[in-house]
Amino acid sequence: MNKISKIAFSLVTLLLLSPIFAATANAEPTEDVVGIALSNPDFSILVSALQKAELVDTLKGDGPFTVFAPTNAAFEKLLMELDITADELLAQPDLAKVLTYHVVSGKVLAADLTDGMKAPTVNGEELMFDLSGDPMVNKSMITSTDIEATNGVVHVIDTVLVPSNFALQEVDMEEETVAKTGLESTTPLLVAMLVTAGAIFFMVFKKKQA
């Protein structure tokens, strides 16, 4: 194949594939912001926090919402700074204040951000954006942008945003454990009671037949 033929072949291939690339680029999102978090294992702590704070249904609403989503690594960094476990974080009374500080009403794409811009969050406090170098929201780097959802957009960040109205509190993890495992601990007892009742019924039934 000579040089002209190669160029012609490349142009034909590009023309044939361009509709496919265009369709992919313009594909409509199929997941809401919660679905995006659920589909990525790197957001598992975020998902657990949303479930614990009972914010899942809210973020599955019409929106639109702009969510700055911290990765598991971001949460692990916060846990080290606060010197607490993941369970202790999820048990915090002010957990919802932290999570809603990551949500802005409306759909804000990366192209909409400007250096020095402020944006009010659902928490009530503002976020500050610094685009003079690596894109930052407060002290967190924005590592991935414009993951579009059916009800908004998700941007990935490497540090959990902590609002000023969050106060770390001591929590009774023993109570949390009892509340979580109470049903599990009663299950074997219930099974044993049902088995015993069944055995007694069987013995009485056999006696009557005899």
Side-chain angles (χ1 to χ4, degrees):
M1 185 181 290
N2 59 34
K3 188 174 181 180
I4 295 176
S5 298
K6 287 181 179 179
I7 294 173
F9 178 77
S10 297
L11 288 173
V12 170
T13 302
L14 182 61
L15 288 171
L16 289 173
L17 291 178
S18 58
I20 298 174
F21 291 147
T24 302
N26 297 322
E28 289 293 323
T30 58
E31 300 277 4
D32 56 33
V33 293
V34 174
I36 288 173
L38 282 169
S39 65
N40 188 335
D42 206 23
F43 293 136
S44 60
I45 299 178
L46 174 61
V47 169
S48 295
L50 291 173
Q51 292 170 337
K52 183 69 175 178
E54 299 182 349
L55 291 173
V56 170
D57 288 343
T58 300
L59 291 177
K60 290 180 75 66
D62 293 337
F65 304 106
T66 297
V67 178
F68 294 90
T71 61
N72 287 348
F75 273 104
E76 287 163 6
K77 183 164 59 173
L78 177 66
L79 295 177
M80 289 183 64
E81 291 173 358
L82 298 179
D83 193 24
I84 60 174
T85 65
D87 286 340
E88 287 172 324
L89 176 64
L90 296 182
Q92 288 296 312
D94 287 346
L95 178 63
K97 292 180 181 179
V98 175
L99 298 173
T100 53
Y101 191 48
H102 293 74
V103 182
V104 172
S105 293
K107 187 175 180 179
V108 184
L109 298 173
D112 300 321
L113 301 176
T114 57
D115 188 34
M117 172 181 169
K118 294 181 179 180
T121 67
V122 175
N123 169 287
E125 296 192 3
E126 289 184 331
L127 298 176
M128 170 78 79
F129 297 90
D130 180 357
L131 306 183
S132 59
D134 291 326
M136 305 286 290
V137 51
N138 290 6
K139 295 181 179 181
S140 178
M141 185 186 300
I142 305 171
T143 58
S144 184
T145 62
D146 295 349
I147 305 172
E148 295 204 47
T150 55
N151 62 344
V153 63
V154 175
H155 306 297
V156 184
I157 57 176
D158 70 351
T159 304
V160 177
L161 307 172
V162 181
S164 63
N165 60 2
F166 169 77
L168 182 64
Q169 301 177 43
E170 286 190 18
V171 292
D172 189 342
M173 294 309 299
E174 191 172 329
E175 279 189 16
E176 287 287 323
T177 302
V178 169
K180 187 189 298 183
T181 62
L183 180 59
E184 295 173 3
S185 63
T186 59
T187 300
L189 178 60
L190 290 172
V191 171
M193 290 174 64
L194 288 171
V195 170
T196 302
I200 293 171
F201 174 79
F202 179 76
M203 289 172 65
V204 171
F205 180 74
K206 291 288 289 184
K207 189 175 180 180
K208 283 184 178 181
Q209 280 192 326

